[in-house]
Amino acid sequence: MGPGPSDVHPRVLRAMSTPLVGHLDPSFIDIMNEVQELMRYTFRTDNKWTIPVSGTGSASMEAAIGNLVEPGDTMLVPTNGYFGGRMESMAERAGGEVVHVDAPWGEPLDPADVQDAFDEHQPDVFGFVHAETSTGVKQPGVPELTSIAHDHDALVVADTVTSLGGVELEVDDWGIDVAYSGPQKCLSCPPGASPLTLNDRAMDKVLSREEPPRSWYLDLSLLEGYWGDDRSYHHTAPITNVYAIREALRLVAEEGIEERWARHRRVAGALKAGVEAMGLGLNPEDEYWLPSLNAVLVPDGVDAGAAIDYVLDHYDLEIAGGLGALAGDIFRVGCMGHSARPENVSFLLTALGEALEAQGADVDPEAGFAAMREQLGQ
């Protein structure tokens, strides 16, 4: 119940025991086709260039930024969380110049600030984090941000690592040019094959670069040969991880993407109601609360690390603390994928309430439990 990985669905674990075949075997090519189609469904896109990158979510992130940003390009990145900083590092390593749009940690970007940054810097690429894992903030008003970028002929890259498959995400309708994610969050799949999608405009830029990206392994112009129509050799795909993500995406399609979003809102809403009734607050405002990652404020006088250790030692339950500017100030409690179940929320509230009482915090776990049950209609 931390910021990831989430619990893996038993069907995904079983899929990973499937015997290996070659990465160019005709049967595996059929699996590749199915993975791509299911991934398009989950991203809500018709993009042809929708693939699982061989690696963790950071590999998918670097594939997006390292291919889209060329030496001499300017990339606009946010300062309102840890992963905006990672965007900056990757863009600089790709040879780009980085400029910032500022917002405090724990708050979303203001479209007016994004507009001002575009007017001042005229960036070629704009990156934003749709679901900031370090702060529990969901970026509202995405179409307004993409519209600003497109008015300045810039490409938009979205970090959807903690939103894909868990909260509303509409890649095509919202005008997102490139989106990357990780499988271990709301898809409840082990890391190793990470979703990435690019529209034609973005892929045209990748294929028309004057010099190749600095990473051969993540060069999308080469990966196109394997995941495109030719199915030609580039590298040995992580066969077992592709089995896993196919099964995870099948589970998304069986549940229905909108129903899955609704489940995350319902179950995480019960968690939110429970911690608030217990006497705790959440860091973000309701308008940009992120159901898949709940940033619960640490009460005054409580050692966050000690409470996290207590929950792990006494209940074998994992939650996490804050990063960067929020270190020591929040608990990061995930409610993702297969972990987003009422029994897990009940278990978490019991464990956290006991851990806080052990430090003398003024909390009311019974009130929290009652609010959770009422929210779930139990």
Coordinates of all heavy atoms in Angstrom, one line a residue, residues 119-203:
D119 N 5.3 32.0 -23.2 CA 5.5 33.3 -23.8 C 7.0 33.8 -23.6 O 7.6 34.4 -24.5 CB 4.6 34.4 -23.2 CG 3.1 34.1 -23.6 OD1 2.9 33.4 -24.6 OD2 2.2 34.6 -22.9
E120 N 7.5 33.4 -22.5 CA 8.9 33.9 -22.2 C 10.0 33.0 -22.9 O 10.9 33.5 -23.4 CB 9.2 33.9 -20.7 CG 10.6 34.3 -20.3 CD 10.8 34.3 -18.8 OE1 9.8 34.0 -18.0 OE2 11.9 34.6 -18.3
H121 N 9.8 31.7 -22.9 CA 10.9 30.8 -23.3 C 10.7 30.1 -24.6 O 11.6 29.6 -25.2 CB 11.1 29.7 -22.2 CG 11.4 30.2 -20.8 ND1 12.6 30.9 -20.6 CD2 10.7 30.2 -19.7 CE1 12.6 31.2 -19.3 NE2 11.4 30.8 -18.7
Q122 N 9.4 30.1 -25.1 CA 9.1 29.4 -26.4 C 9.7 28.0 -26.5 O 10.5 27.7 -27.4 CB 9.6 30.3 -27.6 CG 8.9 31.7 -27.6 CD 7.4 31.6 -27.9 OE1 7.0 30.7 -28.6 NE2 6.7 32.5 -27.2
P123 N 9.4 27.1 -25.5 CA 10.0 25.8 -25.5 C 9.5 24.9 -26.7 O 8.5 25.2 -27.3 CB 9.6 25.2 -24.2 CG 8.3 25.9 -23.9 CD 8.5 27.3 -24.4
D124 N 10.4 24.0 -27.1 CA 10.0 23.0 -28.1 C 9.2 21.8 -27.5 O 8.4 21.2 -28.3 CB 11.3 22.5 -28.8 CG 12.2 23.6 -29.3 OD1 11.8 24.1 -30.4 OD2 13.2 23.9 -28.7
V125 N 9.5 21.5 -26.3 CA 8.8 20.4 -25.6 C 8.3 20.8 -24.2 O 9.1 21.6 -23.5 CB 9.8 19.2 -25.5 CG1 9.1 18.0 -24.8 CG2 10.3 18.8 -26.9
F126 N 7.2 20.4 -23.9 CA 6.6 20.7 -22.5 C 6.3 19.4 -21.8 O 5.6 18.5 -22.4 CB 5.3 21.5 -22.7 CG 4.5 21.6 -21.4 CD1 5.1 22.0 -20.2 CD2 3.1 21.4 -21.4 CE1 4.3 22.1 -19.0 CE2 2.4 21.5 -20.3 CZ 3.0 21.9 -19.1
G127 N 6.9 19.2 -20.7 CA 6.6 18.0 -19.9 C 5.8 18.3 -18.6 O 6.1 19.3 -18.0
F128 N 4.9 17.5 -18.3 CA 4.1 17.7 -17.0 C 3.9 16.3 -16.4 O 3.9 15.3 -17.1 CB 2.9 18.5 -17.2 CG 1.7 17.7 -17.8 CD1 0.8 17.1 -17.0 CD2 1.6 17.6 -19.2 CE1 -0.3 16.4 -17.6 CE2 0.6 16.9 -19.8 CZ -0.4 16.3 -19.0
V129 N 3.6 16.3 -15.1 CA 3.3 15.1 -14.4 C 1.8 15.0 -14.1 O 1.3 15.9 -13.4 CB 4.2 15.0 -13.1 CG1 3.8 13.6 -12.4 CG2 5.6 15.1 -13.4
H130 N 1.2 14.1 -14.7 CA -0.3 14.0 -14.6 C -0.6 13.6 -13.1 O -1.6 14.1 -12.6 CB -0.9 13.0 -15.6 CG -2.4 12.8 -15.5 ND1 -3.0 11.6 -15.5 CD2 -3.3 13.8 -15.3 CE1 -4.3 11.8 -15.3 NE2 -4.5 13.1 -15.3
A131 N 0.1 12.6 -12.6 CA -0.1 12.1 -11.2 C 1.2 12.1 -10.5 O 2.0 11.2 -10.8 CB -0.7 10.7 -11.3
E132 N 1.5 13.1 -9.7 CA 2.8 13.2 -9.1 C 2.9 12.3 -7.8 O 2.3 12.5 -6.8 CB 3.0 14.7 -8.7 CG 4.4 14.9 -8.0 CD 5.6 14.4 -8.7 OE1 6.0 15.0 -9.7 OE2 6.1 13.4 -8.2
T133 N 3.7 11.2 -8.0 CA 3.8 10.2 -7.0 C 4.4 10.7 -5.7 O 4.2 10.2 -4.6 CB 4.7 9.0 -7.5 OG1 4.3 8.7 -8.8 CG2 4.5 7.8 -6.6
S134 N 5.2 11.8 -5.8 CA 5.9 12.3 -4.6 C 5.0 13.2 -3.7 O 5.3 13.4 -2.5 CB 7.1 13.1 -5.0 OG 6.8 14.3 -5.7
T135 N 3.9 13.7 -4.3 CA 3.1 14.6 -3.5 C 1.6 14.2 -3.4 O 0.8 14.9 -2.7 CB 3.1 16.0 -4.2 OG1 2.6 15.9 -5.5 CG2 4.6 16.5 -4.3
G136 N 1.1 13.2 -4.2 CA -0.3 12.9 -4.2 C -1.2 13.9 -4.9 O -2.3 14.0 -4.6
V137 N -0.6 14.6 -5.9 CA -1.4 15.6 -6.6 C -1.7 15.1 -8.1 O -0.8 14.7 -8.8 CB -0.6 16.9 -6.7 CG1 -1.2 17.9 -7.7 CG2 -0.6 17.6 -5.3
K138 N -2.9 15.3 -8.4 CA -3.3 15.0 -9.8 C -3.5 16.4 -10.5 O -4.1 17.3 -10.0 CB -4.7 14.3 -9.9 CG -5.2 13.9 -11.3 CD -6.5 13.2 -11.2 CE -7.6 14.1 -10.7 NZ -9.0 13.4 -10.8
Q139 N -2.9 16.5 -11.7 CA -3.0 17.7 -12.5 C -4.3 17.9 -13.1 O -4.7 17.1 -14.0 CB -1.9 17.8 -13.5 CG -1.9 19.0 -14.4 CD -1.6 20.3 -13.7 OE1 -0.6 20.4 -12.9 NE2 -2.4 21.3 -13.9
P140 N -5.1 18.9 -12.7 CA -6.4 19.1 -13.4 C -6.2 19.9 -14.7 O -5.2 20.5 -14.9 CB -7.2 19.9 -12.3 CG -6.2 20.7 -11.6 CD -4.9 19.8 -11.6
G141 N -7.3 20.0 -15.5 CA -7.3 20.9 -16.6 C -6.2 20.6 -17.6 O -5.7 21.5 -18.2
V142 N -6.0 19.3 -17.9 CA -4.9 18.9 -18.8 C -5.1 19.5 -20.2 O -4.2 20.0 -20.9 CB -4.7 17.4 -18.9 CG1 -3.7 17.0 -20.0 CG2 -4.2 16.9 -17.6
P143 N -6.4 19.5 -20.8 CA -6.6 20.0 -22.1 C -6.2 21.5 -22.2 O -5.7 21.9 -23.3 CB -8.1 19.8 -22.4 CG -8.4 18.6 -21.6 CD -7.6 18.8 -20.3
E144 N -6.3 22.2 -21.2 CA -5.9 23.7 -21.2 C -4.4 23.8 -21.3 O -3.9 24.6 -22.1 CB -6.4 24.4 -19.9 CG -6.2 25.9 -20.0 CD -6.8 26.6 -18.8 OE1 -7.5 25.9 -17.9 OE2 -6.7 27.8 -18.7
L145 N -3.7 22.9 -20.7 CA -2.2 22.9 -20.8 C -1.7 22.5 -22.1 O -0.8 23.1 -22.7 CB -1.6 22.0 -19.7 CG -1.9 22.3 -18.2 CD1 -1.1 21.3 -17.3 CD2 -1.6 23.7 -17.9
T146 N -2.3 21.5 -22.7 CA -1.9 21.0 -24.0 C -2.2 22.0 -25.1 O -1.5 22.2 -26.1 CB -2.5 19.6 -24.4 OG1 -3.9 19.7 -24.4 CG2 -2.1 18.6 -23.3
S147 N -3.4 22.7 -24.9 CA -3.7 23.7 -25.9 C -2.7 24.9 -25.9 O -2.4 25.4 -27.0 CB -5.1 24.3 -25.5 OG -5.5 25.3 -26.4
I148 N -2.3 25.3 -24.7 CA -1.2 26.3 -24.6 C 0.0 25.9 -25.4 O 0.6 26.6 -26.2 CB -0.9 26.7 -23.2 CG1 -2.1 27.3 -22.5 CG2 0.3 27.6 -23.1 CD1 -2.0 27.4 -21.0
A149 N 0.4 24.7 -25.1 CA 1.6 24.1 -25.8 C 1.5 24.1 -27.3 O 2.4 24.5 -28.1 CB 2.0 22.8 -25.2
H150 N 0.4 23.6 -27.8 CA 0.2 23.4 -29.2 C 0.0 24.8 -29.9 O 0.4 24.9 -31.1 CB -1.1 22.6 -29.5 CG -0.8 21.1 -29.1 ND1 -1.9 20.3 -28.8 CD2 0.3 20.4 -28.9 CE1 -1.4 19.1 -28.4 NE2 -0.1 19.2 -28.5
D151 N -0.5 25.8 -29.2 CA -0.6 27.1 -29.8 C 0.9 27.7 -30.0 O 1.0 28.6 -30.8 CB -1.3 28.1 -28.8 CG -2.8 27.9 -28.8 OD1 -3.3 27.2 -29.7 OD2 -3.5 28.3 -27.9
H152 N 1.8 27.1 -29.3 CA 3.2 27.5 -29.5 C 4.0 26.5 -30.2 O 5.3 26.5 -30.2 CB 3.9 27.8 -28.1 CG 3.4 29.0 -27.4 ND1 2.2 29.1 -26.8 CD2 4.0 30.3 -27.3 CE1 2.0 30.3 -26.2 NE2 3.1 31.0 -26.5
D153 N 3.3 25.6 -30.9 CA 3.9 24.5 -31.7 C 4.9 23.7 -31.0 O 5.9 23.2 -31.5 CB 4.7 25.2 -32.9 CG 4.9 24.2 -34.1 OD1 4.0 23.3 -34.2 OD2 5.9 24.3 -34.8
A154 N 4.6 23.4 -29.7 CA 5.4 22.5 -28.8 C 4.7 21.2 -28.7 O 3.5 21.0 -28.8 CB 5.6 23.2 -27.5
L155 N 5.6 20.2 -28.5 CA 5.1 18.8 -28.2 C 4.9 18.6 -26.7 O 5.7 19.2 -25.9 CB 6.0 17.8 -28.7 CG 6.1 17.7 -30.3 CD1 7.4 16.9 -30.7 CD2 4.9 17.0 -30.8
V156 N 3.9 17.8 -26.3 CA 3.6 17.6 -24.9 C 3.9 16.2 -24.5 O 3.4 15.3 -25.1 CB 2.1 17.9 -24.6 CG1 1.7 17.6 -23.2 CG2 1.7 19.4 -25.0
V157 N 4.7 16.1 -23.4 CA 5.0 14.8 -22.8 C 4.4 14.7 -21.4 O 4.6 15.5 -20.6 CB 6.5 14.6 -22.7 CG1 6.9 13.2 -22.1 CG2 7.2 14.8 -24.1
A158 N 3.6 13.6 -21.2 CA 2.9 13.5 -19.9 C 3.5 12.2 -19.2 O 3.6 11.2 -19.8 CB 1.4 13.3 -20.2
D159 N 3.8 12.5 -17.9 CA 4.1 11.4 -17.0 C 2.8 10.8 -16.4 O 2.2 11.5 -15.7 CB 5.0 11.9 -15.9 CG 5.5 10.9 -14.9 OD1 4.7 10.0 -14.5 OD2 6.6 11.0 -14.4
T160 N 2.5 9.6 -16.8 CA 1.3 9.0 -16.4 C 1.6 7.7 -15.6 O 0.8 6.8 -15.5 CB 0.3 8.6 -17.6 OG1 0.9 7.6 -18.4 CG2 0.1 9.9 -18.4
V161 N 2.7 7.7 -14.9 CA 3.2 6.5 -14.2 C 2.2 6.1 -13.1 O 1.9 4.9 -13.0 CB 4.6 6.7 -13.6 CG1 5.0 5.6 -12.7 CG2 5.6 6.8 -14.7
T162 N 1.6 7.0 -12.4 CA 0.7 6.7 -11.3 C -0.8 7.0 -11.7 O -1.6 6.9 -10.8 CB 1.1 7.4 -10.0 OG1 2.5 7.2 -9.8 CG2 0.4 6.9 -8.8
S163 N -1.0 7.2 -12.9 CA -2.4 7.4 -13.3 C -2.9 6.3 -14.3 O -4.1 6.0 -14.3 CB -2.6 8.8 -13.9 OG -1.8 9.0 -15.0
L164 N -2.1 5.8 -15.2 CA -2.6 4.9 -16.2 C -3.3 3.7 -15.6 O -2.7 3.0 -14.8 CB -1.4 4.4 -17.1 CG -1.8 3.4 -18.2 CD1 -2.6 4.1 -19.2 CD2 -0.5 2.8 -18.8
G165 N -4.5 3.5 -15.9 CA -5.3 2.3 -15.4 C -5.9 2.6 -14.0 O -6.5 1.7 -13.5
G166 N -5.7 3.8 -13.5 CA -6.2 4.0 -12.1 C -7.1 5.3 -12.0 O -8.1 5.3 -11.3
V167 N -6.8 6.3 -12.8 CA -7.6 7.6 -12.8 C -7.8 8.0 -14.2 O -7.1 7.6 -15.1 CB -6.9 8.7 -11.9 CG1 -6.7 8.3 -10.5 CG2 -5.6 9.1 -12.5
E168 N -8.8 8.8 -14.4 CA -9.1 9.2 -15.7 C -7.9 9.8 -16.5 O -7.2 10.7 -16.1 CB -10.3 10.3 -15.7 CG -10.8 10.6 -17.1 CD -11.9 11.7 -17.1 OE1 -12.2 12.2 -16.0 OE2 -12.4 12.0 -18.2
L169 N -7.7 9.2 -17.7 CA -6.7 9.6 -18.6 C -7.2 9.5 -20.0 O -7.5 8.4 -20.4 CB -5.4 8.8 -18.3 CG -4.3 9.0 -19.3 CD1 -3.7 10.4 -19.3 CD2 -3.2 8.0 -19.1
E170 N -7.1 10.5 -20.8 CA -7.6 10.5 -22.2 C -6.5 11.1 -23.1 O -6.5 12.3 -23.4 CB -8.9 11.3 -22.3 CG -10.1 10.9 -21.4 CD -10.9 9.7 -22.1 OE1 -10.5 9.3 -23.2 OE2 -11.8 9.3 -21.4
V171 N -5.6 10.2 -23.5 CA -4.5 10.7 -24.3 C -4.9 11.5 -25.5 O -4.4 12.6 -25.8 CB -3.5 9.5 -24.6 CG1 -2.5 10.0 -25.7 CG2 -2.8 9.1 -23.4
D172 N -5.8 10.9 -26.3 CA -6.1 11.5 -27.6 C -7.0 12.8 -27.3 O -6.7 13.8 -27.9 CB -6.9 10.6 -28.5 CG -5.9 9.5 -29.1 OD1 -4.7 9.6 -28.9 OD2 -6.4 8.7 -29.9
D173 N -8.1 12.6 -26.6 CA -9.0 13.7 -26.4 C -8.4 14.9 -25.7 O -8.8 16.0 -25.9 CB -10.2 13.2 -25.6 CG -11.2 12.4 -26.4 OD1 -10.9 12.2 -27.6 OD2 -12.1 11.8 -25.8
W174 N -7.4 14.6 -24.8 CA -6.7 15.7 -24.1 C -5.5 16.3 -24.9 O -4.9 17.3 -24.4 CB -6.2 15.2 -22.7 CG -7.3 14.9 -21.8 CD1 -8.6 15.0 -21.9 CD2 -7.1 14.3 -20.5 NE1 -9.3 14.6 -20.8 CE2 -8.4 14.2 -19.9 CE3 -6.0 13.9 -19.7 CZ2 -8.6 13.6 -18.6 CZ3 -6.2 13.4 -18.5 CH2 -7.5 13.3 -17.9
G175 N -5.2 15.8 -26.0 CA -4.2 16.4 -26.8 C -2.8 16.1 -26.4 O -1.9 16.9 -26.6
I176 N -2.6 15.0 -25.7 CA -1.2 14.6 -25.3 C -0.5 14.0 -26.4 O -1.0 13.0 -27.0 CB -1.3 13.7 -24.1 CG1 -2.0 14.4 -22.9 CG2 0.1 13.1 -23.7 CD1 -2.4 13.4 -21.7
D177 N 0.7 14.4 -26.7 CA 1.5 13.9 -27.8 C 2.3 12.6 -27.5 O 2.4 11.7 -28.3 CB 2.5 15.0 -28.4 CG 1.8 16.2 -28.9 OD1 1.0 16.1 -29.8 OD2 2.0 17.3 -28.3
V178 N 2.8 12.6 -26.3 CA 3.6 11.5 -25.8 C 3.2 11.2 -24.3 O 3.1 12.2 -23.5 CB 5.1 11.7 -25.9 CG1 5.9 10.5 -25.4 CG2 5.5 12.1 -27.3
A179 N 3.0 10.0 -24.0 CA 2.7 9.6 -22.6 C 3.5 8.3 -22.3 O 3.6 7.4 -23.1 CB 1.2 9.4 -22.3
Y180 N 4.1 8.3 -21.1 CA 4.8 7.1 -20.6 C 4.3 6.7 -19.3 O 3.7 7.6 -18.6 CB 6.3 7.4 -20.6 CG 6.7 8.5 -19.7 CD1 6.9 8.3 -18.3 CD2 7.0 9.8 -20.2 CE1 7.3 9.4 -17.5 CE2 7.4 10.8 -19.3 CZ 7.5 10.6 -18.0 OH 7.9 11.6 -17.2
S181 N 4.5 5.5 -18.9 CA 4.0 5.0 -17.7 C 4.8 3.8 -17.2 O 5.8 3.5 -17.8 CB 2.5 4.6 -17.8 OG 1.9 4.3 -16.5
G182 N 4.4 3.3 -16.0 CA 5.1 2.1 -15.5 C 4.0 1.1 -15.2 O 2.8 1.4 -14.9
P183 N 4.4 -0.2 -15.3 CA 3.3 -1.3 -15.1 C 3.0 -1.6 -13.6 O 2.0 -2.2 -13.3 CB 4.0 -2.5 -15.8 CG 5.4 -2.3 -15.6 CD 5.7 -0.8 -15.6
Q184 N 3.9 -1.2 -12.7 CA 3.8 -1.7 -11.3 C 2.9 -0.8 -10.4 O 2.8 -1.1 -9.2 CB 5.2 -1.7 -10.7 CG 5.8 -0.4 -10.3 CD 6.4 0.4 -11.4 OE1 6.2 0.1 -12.6 NE2 7.1 1.5 -11.1
K185 N 2.3 0.2 -11.0 CA 1.4 1.0 -10.1 C -0.1 0.5 -10.3 O -0.5 -0.5 -9.7 CB 1.5 2.4 -10.6 CG 2.9 3.0 -10.6 CD 3.5 3.4 -9.2 CE 4.8 4.1 -9.3 NZ 5.3 4.6 -8.0
C186 N -0.9 1.2 -11.1 CA -2.3 0.9 -11.2 C -2.6 -0.3 -12.1 O -3.7 -0.8 -12.1 CB -3.1 2.1 -11.7 SG -3.0 3.5 -10.6
L187 N -1.6 -0.8 -12.8 CA -1.8 -2.0 -13.6 C -1.4 -3.2 -12.8 O -1.7 -4.3 -13.3 CB -0.9 -1.9 -14.9 CG -1.2 -0.8 -15.9 CD1 -0.3 -0.9 -17.1 CD2 -2.6 -0.8 -16.3
S188 N -0.8 -3.1 -11.7 CA -0.5 -4.2 -10.8 C 0.2 -5.3 -11.5 O -0.1 -6.5 -11.5 CB -1.8 -4.8 -10.1 OG -2.3 -3.9 -9.2
C189 N 1.3 -4.9 -12.1 CA 2.1 -5.8 -12.9 C 3.6 -5.6 -12.5 O 4.0 -4.4 -12.3 CB 1.9 -5.5 -14.4 SG 2.9 -6.5 -15.5
P190 N 4.4 -6.6 -12.4 CA 5.8 -6.4 -12.1 C 6.5 -5.5 -13.0 O 6.2 -5.5 -14.2 CB 6.4 -7.8 -12.1 CG 5.3 -8.7 -11.9 CD 4.1 -8.1 -12.5
P191 N 7.5 -4.7 -12.6 CA 8.2 -3.8 -13.5 C 9.0 -4.6 -14.5 O 9.5 -5.7 -14.2 CB 9.1 -3.0 -12.6 CG 9.2 -3.7 -11.3 CD 7.9 -4.5 -11.2
G192 N 9.2 -4.0 -15.7 CA 10.0 -4.7 -16.7 C 9.6 -4.5 -18.1 O 10.4 -4.6 -19.1
A193 N 8.3 -4.1 -18.3 CA 7.8 -3.7 -19.7 C 6.9 -2.6 -19.5 O 5.8 -2.7 -18.9 CB 7.1 -4.9 -20.3
S194 N 7.3 -1.4 -19.9 CA 6.7 -0.1 -19.5 C 6.0 0.6 -20.6 O 6.6 0.9 -21.7 CB 7.7 0.8 -18.8 OG 8.3 0.2 -17.7
P195 N 4.7 1.0 -20.4 CA 3.9 1.6 -21.5 C 4.4 2.9 -22.0 O 4.9 3.8 -21.2 CB 2.5 1.7 -20.9 CG 2.5 0.7 -19.8 CD 3.9 0.7 -19.2
L196 N 4.4 3.1 -23.3 CA 4.8 4.3 -24.0 C 3.9 4.5 -25.2 O 3.7 3.5 -26.0 CB 6.2 4.3 -24.4 CG 6.8 5.4 -25.2 CD1 6.8 6.7 -24.4 CD2 8.2 5.1 -25.7
T197 N 3.4 5.7 -25.4 CA 2.6 6.0 -26.6 C 3.0 7.3 -27.2 O 3.3 8.3 -26.5 CB 1.1 5.9 -26.4 OG1 0.4 6.0 -27.6 CG2 0.6 7.0 -25.4
L198 N 3.1 7.4 -28.5 CA 3.5 8.6 -29.3 C 2.5 8.8 -30.4 O 2.2 7.8 -31.1 CB 4.9 8.6 -29.8 CG 6.1 8.4 -28.9 CD1 6.4 7.0 -28.7 CD2 7.3 9.2 -29.5
N199 N 2.0 10.0 -30.7 CA 1.2 10.2 -31.8 C 2.1 10.5 -33.1 O 3.3 10.5 -33.0 CB 0.2 11.4 -31.6 CG 0.9 12.7 -31.4 OD1 2.1 12.9 -31.7 ND2 0.1 13.6 -30.8
D200 N 1.5 10.6 -34.2 CA 2.3 10.7 -35.5 C 3.1 11.9 -35.5 O 4.3 11.9 -36.0 CB 1.3 10.7 -36.7 CG 0.7 9.4 -36.9 OD1 1.2 8.4 -36.4 OD2 -0.4 9.4 -37.6
R201 N 2.6 13.0 -34.9 CA 3.4 14.3 -34.9 C 4.7 14.1 -34.1 O 5.8 14.5 -34.5 CB 2.6 15.4 -34.3 CG 3.3 16.8 -34.3 CD 2.3 17.9 -34.0 NE 3.0 19.1 -33.8 CZ 3.1 19.7 -32.6 NH1 2.5 19.2 -31.5 NH2 3.7 20.9 -32.5
A202 N 4.6 13.4 -33.0 CA 5.8 13.2 -32.1 C 6.7 12.2 -32.8 O 8.0 12.4 -32.8 CB 5.4 12.7 -30.8
M203 N 6.2 11.2 -33.4 CA 7.0 10.2 -34.1 C 7.7 10.8 -35.3 O 8.9 10.4 -35.6 CB 6.2 9.0 -34.4 CG 7.1 7.7 -34.7 SD 8.0 7.2 -33.2 CE 9.0 5.9 -33.9

